Amino acid sequence: MNETNARHIENGVRMVDPAATYIDETVEIAKGVTIYPNAVLEGACVIEAGAYIGPGAHLKDVHVGPNAKIHSYSVLTDAEVGADTNVGPFAYLRGNAVIGKRCRIGSFVEIKKSRVGDDTNAAHLAYIGDATVGCNVNIGCGVITANYDGKTKSRTIINDNAFIGSNVNLIAPVEVGEWGYIAAGSTIYESIPDDSFAIARGKQYTKSDWGKDPRRNAKD
């Protein structure tokens, strides 16, 4: 066990396997933090009391708030995670991503250059880039902020208490008002006022007995 890890353990940090935990001398870790094997902490990291760093997590220049949990194999660079927030597993936060308190940033969620308010959930499979997201917002599975048009990057604003359904595309620049609701599968390119509902889908067509047509399954 190296001197850096030994010093942190003496100060009350719990390392499940110190020999498989990699911590820079520049990292600050409070008493009561738990770190699992193969975690890597680099640069100007600050880990506050009661936090949990899961196996394989990689943090560089990250501030982790009290009792926050960074789950398995999440990668965080230049980010801030608020108290009692859960990140991961397999989440990716980068480029000045600031996450509030009591949030859930779940598996395969990427957040870049964005600020997310308290009590907001993005449970899985979402991309939030160049965005400002308010408090108590629901980000459904498959939501993306389409922030790049090939030349410039534009911002998306999602205000407090909004509900973004699954597989929604938000074409920036665009704003979702407070208590705004977007139906699943919508592509949104016009801003939505407060207390409004938006749905933008193509019409569905269903052809009966199409699967029974022998021509459909014909082989050369």
Side-chain angles (χ1 to χ4, degrees), residues 115-132:
R115 181 174 293 270
V116 176
D118 298 343
D119 302 297
T120 285
N121 292 324
H124 34 221
L125 296 166
Y127 171 70
I128 301 169
D130 298 284
T132 301

Side-chain angles (χ1 to χ4, degrees), residues 210-220:
W210 184 77
K212 297 178 182 179
D213 188 337
R215 294 171 296 177
R216 174 172 173 263
N217 297 313
K219 296 182 179 179
D220 295 335

Side-chain angles (χ1 to χ4, degrees), residues 104-144:
R104 181 184 175 194
I105 307 301
S107 52
F108 302 103
V109 173
E110 180 177 355
I111 299 179
K112 187 269 295 185
K113 203 175 181 180
S114 297
R115 181 174 293 270
V116 176
D118 298 343
D119 302 297
T120 285
N121 292 324
H124 34 221
L125 296 166
Y127 171 70
I128 301 169
D130 298 284
T132 301
V133 181
C135 298
N136 194 39
V137 171
N138 179 82
I139 304 291
C141 178
V143 169
I144 66 167

Side-chain angles (χ1 to χ4, degrees), residues 86-105:
N86 279 272
V87 174
F90 299 101
Y92 186 22
L93 275 58
R94 61 187 177 92
N96 193 26
V98 179
I99 314 300
K101 300 175 182 177
R102 300 176 301 278
C103 294
R104 181 184 175 194
I105 307 301

Side-chain angles (χ1 to χ4, degrees), residues 2 9 19 36 46 49 52 56 90 99 119 122 164 179 181-182 203 210 213 217:
N2 62 44
I9 291 171
Y36 272 73
V46 176
Y52 164 96
F90 299 101
I99 314 300
D119 302 297
I164 314 299
W179 291 102
Y181 192 108
I182 301 176
K203 186 176 180 180
W210 184 77
D213 188 337
N217 297 313

Side-chain angles (χ1 to χ4, degrees), residues 32-112:
V33 170
T34 299
I35 304 175
Y36 272 73
N38 298 315
V40 178
L41 281 66
E42 299 182 281
C45 284
V46 176
I47 315 298
E48 297 198 42
Y52 164 96
I53 310 298
H58 190 164
L59 282 63
K60 183 177 181 181
D61 300 331
V62 176
H63 188 133
V64 178
N67 302 308
K69 293 180 172 61
I70 312 301
H71 294 283
S72 306
Y73 301 103
S74 295
V75 177
L76 288 72
T77 303
D78 187 20
E80 181 177 337
V81 176
D84 301 298
T85 282
N86 279 272
V87 174
F90 299 101
Y92 186 22
L93 275 58
R94 61 187 177 92
N96 193 26
V98 179
I99 314 300
K101 300 175 182 177
R102 300 176 301 278
C103 294
R104 181 184 175 194
I105 307 301
S107 52
F108 302 103
V109 173
E110 180 177 355
I111 299 179
K112 187 269 295 185

